Every structure is written in structure tokens, then in C-alpha cells.
Amino acid sequence: MLTTQIKNKEEIISKLSGSTFIIKCIGCKEVLFPETEIDKFISENIEKNKITGRLKIDYLCNQDFSQAYINNHKVEIEKAETILVFSCGVGVQVMASLLENKKVITGCDTIYINGFQGLTVQNYNCAQCGNCYLNYTAGICPITACSKGLLNGSCGGAKNGKCEVNKDFDCGWEKIYNRLLKLNKKPKEEILIRDYSNL
Amino acid sequence: MKLSELFEQKKFVVTSEIGPPKGFHLEKILHEAEMLKGRVSAINVTDNQSSVMRFGSLATCHFLKDKNIEPVYQVVCRDRNRIALQSDILSAAAFGIENLLLLTGDHTKLGDHPQAKSVFDLDSVSLIHTVKKLEEGVDIAGNKLDGEPPRFCIGAVVSPCSEPLEPQLIKMEKKVKAGAQFFQTQAVYEVDKFVKFIEKAKQFGVPIMAGIVILKTVGMAKYMNENVAGIHVPDSLIEELKKDKEKTKSGQTGIEIAARLIKELKPHCEGIHLMPLGWDDKVSKILDMAGL
């Protein structure tokens, strides 16, 4: 069972800049993927000449498949400033990791993913919190990558890039900062407060 | 007295710290606090420090107030959700506690209840934001508070010798924007690194108190180098501790190092925060030697 919903229009629009390449994942769509709403959003809010290309992928969470698709659409992806992904939180994180120099944003909140998680995914996790923060953290989930699930930056407990909880874990926020640095960006200034009401 | 008033008067502010006991007998720490009366402007009370369950910070602060000692109420986000945190902070206001130090807190896995749930419903930044909201007369959900809102002096922490430093500065800026009025730092042993940090942090325009932890043993220094984030005790200090074993054992070497660090750091900051970790009886001597 997978359930995602489209993010509110304003949040997606506020994250779009320049031209956009759009990726939709249809891997688990037979369950609850808001494809009709997504298509409606795109046609009503993104000018056609600002779209460098579109891609429908089966199981975006599979890194090897996704890399092959990216290779086939190199030119359109290169031309775009924003990569807008409609998928679950895992898919967005995989895409952000494969396109580290691009601004990868999510158009979806993930509500439920059980049963599919683990099918093809190795390195990324989605907490199904229903309030996706990937648009603020360069496509790395602060809830699953940080032991404390912090939303506003590192806790200061990491030593040599490793988490205070376990020296085998990388500090999630150091990964986020490094990714932002690659994108030449600073973390967002707004204060984020976790919303548990969608759980 | 709010620490912010002292900073406004351009006073060099000195604070120390006590950790509540594992139990409810407070005679010892209250005695330690009393020995510091007059020597420091306020005393921080840690909140289940290092994730070890102890007597409460809020109640200890209340006992300090009774003895006319100014407390800094430390609040971490590990053990309580936003409802309990706001509730306790309102309780602090009723006890006349004016200074807060708001932190994220260590993970439960580091303490003596590793099986416990780590809460972290809020973090240091959103907790500062929450206190600002309470000061505006509403709670974090926007509901109106009854009567006059509370007024606090809000403190936060930063780790000035961290590598890389940039994430610390980014978070510090976020804390300032959220409403932090002063900073106490992680322990400093490298003055040059601290000075470089200050050059970058002074743009935020908030007073910074350099953190001092007394070096007790060579083992402690090595342990911190291995395990504590943002702390590096240079080899020269470790050699100094090794040189005269008797002097180090009596605490004299640690006192000398702390006093020397304070003297060197003083021109670059607005205050000193001493974390004696049980060596409270050494604080007066350190301050004497540092000329404070």
C-alpha cells in the first residue's frame, strides 16, 4: 500500500525557479498516487515553455533504473534549473542523490508506504510523516537521516561527521549541509516545527 | 536579574553551573552554589545532563531563588513534548526564574536510560521560537495566554571550535533570529580557533560567554578528544597535565590552565561560563587567578 498526496500548490510554486524538468513515479501508482491532481497542477501552474522535459518512471527508488533514465534525458535535465519530482519520499531522495548539483524538489507528501519500502530501496528511508520536508533539506530527509529528527540544523553532537548515537552513522545534517553547499545554497532561514497531525 | 541587563551595562558576566543529584537531597549542591554567591552573576542548572535521570532542573532553580542566587534554567528538548515544555516554562515564570538556556539535548542512548524514547518534538531553535511566542502572550499553537505574558532572558549554546564551523554559524544565526539574547559556548581550549569564530559571529550582535571546563586528568582530556563534539584539547595542554602528576591530582594544573584560558579569552568575549563538573570548590580560585 502506498499513499501520497500532492503538496499544497503554494509550497510547490514557491520552490520552482527557472525552467523545470518533471518526473513522475508510477511504480506504486496503482494504489493511491494522485496522478490526476498532479497533471492538473502542472497544466494550470507551469508554463509549457518552462518545461524542459517530462519523465514517467517505474520505481524511481531503484537507483540503477533511475540512473539509466537520467542518462537518456541528460540534455533536458541539464537545461532545467529545477527538477520537480512526484513520488514518495524515498524516490525524491534517490533522485536528489543522483542529481546532486540540481535543485530537486518534491511535489508530494507521503502518508503511507508500508509493504513497498524495502522492495528496491537500499540507502534511503521515508518516515511517511505526511509533511515532506525534503524541499528544505536538499533532498535528504532530516527525520530519517538525523537520529533526533531535527528540522532546524545539526545538534552539535556529531564528531568527525559521525552521529553521537552511533559512530557508524553519518551525521544527517552534515550530509544536508554538504549537499546544500554543492548547490551553493544556505539552509532556509524559516523555523520549521514538526507537524504530527498528518501521521 | 536578567543576564541581558548586565550585558547592557557592559559588565563582563561570569556564570557557573551545578548539576542536580541523582536523588532528592540537595544540601551538597545548594552548599556549592552558596559558595559561589557573589563570585558569579548566575548559576546554570543542568537538565538531566548527559541524558542521565536526575533531580529536576526547575525545582533546583526554585531552591536557588529561595537562597537569592540567580539561576539559569536549562531546558532540553529530549524528554518533553511542546505541551510539557511550555507548561514547565510557564511554571518557571511563576517562580520568578528569568534566565533560560534552551538546548536540543543529548540523545537518550548516551545516558543511563538508553531504552527511553527520545522526544525531540521541538529542537533548540523551535524552543526559542516557542518562548518568544509565550512572551507575546500566545502559545506555540497560537492560543492566547491568560493575563500578563512572561518575560525571560533567552540563552542558547554554540560550539565555537567545531570543524566544520559553518553549520554552527548557520544554526547560531537561526537561534538569534528566533530570539536568543546571549550564548554560552561549548568548552574552549583553543583560543586561536575561538578568536576566528568570534570574528564571524560578531555580526549577529549578541553577547557570547566562552565556556570553560576544568581539565581534571589526562584521561579526561583524551576522552573528550575522542568522544566530545566540538572539543579538542591540544597536545601542549595534555603535556602540561602530564608534567607534574601531584599538581594535576590536586587540581592545581587544571586551575592554572582554566585561569590562563580565561585571561586569553576575555578580550574577545562578553563573559565566561564555567562548567566545573563537580569541582565547584575550585571556581573561586580560578576566578581569583584570572583577575575576575
Side-chain angles (χ1 to χ4, degrees):
Chain A
M1 175 91 181
L2 175 117
T3 309
T4 52
Q5 65 185 23
I6 188 165
K7 275 194 169 290
N8 80 53
K9 199 169 92 177
E10 287 71 30
E11 180 180 341
I12 304 176
I13 293 169
S14 74
K15 302 290 169 194
L16 295 174
S17 59
S19 48
T20 304
F21 185 83
I22 299 169
I23 300 170
K24 278 194 291 189
C25 176
I26 53 159
C28 312
K29 79 156 186 174
E30 63 275 14
V31 194
L32 269 174
F33 180 66
E35 198 167 9
T36 318
E37 291 94 319
I38 289 167
D39 290 339
K40 185 166 176 271
F41 168 83
I42 294 169
S43 66
E44 287 175 2
N45 296 288
I46 309 178
E47 288 169 45
K48 273 208 171 115
N49 60 8
K50 287 244 170 119
I51 300 174
T52 67
R54 295 164 191 248
L55 187 56
K56 249 189 182 186
I57 298 186
D58 203 356
Y59 293 105
L60 184 57
C61 48
N62 185 312
Q63 259 165 301
D64 297 335
F65 288 169
S66 292
Q67 185 61 59
Y69 276 111
I70 289 172
N71 294 346
N72 288 340
H73 292 79
K74 245 188 185 145
V75 181
E76 298 107 293
I77 289 173
E78 203 45 59
K79 268 196 274 179
E81 193 179 316
T82 309
I83 314 295
L84 174 57
V85 182
F86 293 96
S87 78
C88 72
V90 177
V92 179
Q93 290 184 78
V94 167
M95 202 36 80
S97 73
L98 295 175
L99 295 169
E100 279 205 315
N101 299 316
K102 286 279 174 197
K103 183 172 80 177
V104 177
I105 67 163
T106 176
C108 288
D109 287 323
T110 306
I111 311 282
Y112 198 78
I113 199 174
N114 289 4
F116 281 98
Q117 204 174 10
L119 189 68
T120 50
V121 180
Q122 287 147 357
N123 302 323
Y124 300 96
N125 204 351
C126 171
Q128 309 143 67
C129 68
N131 206 337
C132 194
Y133 298 99
L134 291 170
N135 288 344
Y136 299 91
T137 52
I140 296 171
C141 174
I143 292 173
T144 55
C146 167
S147 299
K148 298 178 185 173
L150 302 182
L151 298 184
N152 292 296
S154 52
C155 67
K159 183 109 180 163
N160 304 321
K162 299 295 178 188
C163 175
E164 70 178 27
V165 174
N166 184 335
K167 283 177 184 167
D168 294 330
F169 291 165
D170 290 328
C171 167
W173 269 97
E174 280 207 26
K175 287 200 273 189
I176 294 170
Y177 285 134
N178 289 337
R179 176 82 60 79
L180 286 164
L181 216 65
K182 274 192 190 164
L183 294 166
N184 233 338
K185 278 200 163 125
K186 258 187 148 190
K188 293 288 171 230
E189 286 178 1
E190 59 197 287
I191 296 164
L192 296 177
I193 300 169
R194 184 83 191 266
D195 180 354
Y196 283 92
S197 63
N198 291 332
L199 269 179
Chain B
M1 161 77 87
K2 292 189 176 73
L3 291 183
S4 49
E5 292 169 31
L6 299 175
F7 290 121
E8 276 159 28
Q9 294 162 19
K10 302 282 169 214
K11 292 216 167 101
F12 189 79
V13 180
V14 179
T15 52
S16 188
E17 183 171 296
I18 54 170
K22 188 133 186 127
F24 68 104
H25 304 289
L26 302 183
E27 299 80 9
K28 187 170 169 278
I29 58 157
L30 291 178
H31 174 70
E32 284 165 2
E34 258 187 312
M35 286 198 313
L36 298 172
K37 208 169 161 179
R39 291 309 307 260
V40 298
S41 295
I43 297 180
N44 285 38
V45 182
T46 53
D47 180 8
N48 294 308
Q49 190 176 10
S50 308
S51 310
V52 172
M53 191 287 292
R54 294 161 193 273
F55 187 83
S57 171
L58 177 58
T60 308
C61 287
H62 179 43
F63 283 117
L64 289 185
K65 278 301 269 192
D66 276 352
K67 292 187 174 293
N68 280 322
I69 299 167
E70 199 59 55
V72 177
Y73 173 31
Q74 291 195 188
V75 185
V76 303
C77 300
R78 174 193 57 241
D79 308 317
R80 286 160 289 181
N81 71 3
R82 67 192 77 180
I83 297 173
L85 287 167
Q86 292 178 101
S87 176
D88 281 355
I89 287 167
L90 288 178
S91 304
F95 287 142
I97 294 161
E98 295 182 287
N99 299 297
L100 304 176
L101 189 81
L102 307 177
L103 313 93
T104 297
D106 293 328
H107 198 279
T108 43
K109 283 234 173 101
L110 274 59
D112 68 348
H113 288 61
Q115 307 86 348
K117 182 180 197 305
S118 277
V119 179
F120 301 116
D121 180 25
L122 299 180
D123 59 24
S124 53
V125 175
S126 47
L127 182 57
I128 294 167
H129 167 80
T130 303
V131 174
K132 285 308 277 187
K133 285 278 162 209
L134 295 176
E135 290 185 341
E136 288 165 15
V138 288
D139 65 22
I140 189 178
N143 308 300
K144 215 170 164 304
L145 302 182
D146 296 331
E148 188 71 19
R151 291 268 175 268
F152 294 105
C153 170
I154 303 172
V157 297
V158 64
S159 192
C161 301
S162 269
E163 278 174 359
L165 183 59
E166 192 62 21
Q168 285 294 317
L169 290 165
I170 292 168
K171 193 148 187 192
M172 185 182 182
E173 185 176 7
K174 237 178 158 173
K175 289 179 181 181
V176 173
K177 286 196 171 145
Q181 292 164 280
F182 72 93
F183 281 82
Q184 291 177 335
T185 79
Q186 175 65 290
V188 179
Y189 295 102
E190 300 160 292
V191 178
D192 51 334
K193 267 196 198 168
F194 183 80
V195 173
K196 279 184 195 147
F197 158 77
I198 289 291
E199 279 165 13
K200 290 182 175 158
K202 65 182 170 200
Q203 57 173 316
F204 306 133
V206 284
I208 294 167
M209 304 173 75
I212 299 287
V213 169
I214 312 168
L215 286 173
K216 296 180 181 176
T217 60
V218 173
M220 174 195 181
K222 286 185 175 166
Y223 177 83
M224 290 198 294
N225 282 351
E226 281 287 308
N227 298 294
V228 183
I231 293 187
H232 177 70
V233 183
D235 289 344
S236 59
L237 294 184
I238 294 177
E239 287 308 314
E240 197 174 333
L241 286 166
K242 275 184 186 165
K243 211 164 57 189
D244 189 334
K245 284 199 175 88
E246 281 309 307
K247 203 174 140 194
T248 296
K249 210 175 160 192
S250 70
Q252 187 57 28
T253 316
I255 291 170
E256 285 173 13
I257 291 171
R260 197 171 66 227
L261 283 168
I262 293 172
K263 276 191 193 167
E264 287 170 12
L265 292 166
K266 191 170 180 262
H268 305 287
C269 57
E270 285 73 35
I272 291 288
H273 175 60
L274 277 152
M275 294 167 268
L277 309 178
W279 278 18
D280 303 78
D281 57 332
K282 313 276 192 283
V283 170
S284 280
K285 204 164 174 201
I286 292 169
L287 295 176
D288 286 339
M289 278 184 80
L292 288 170

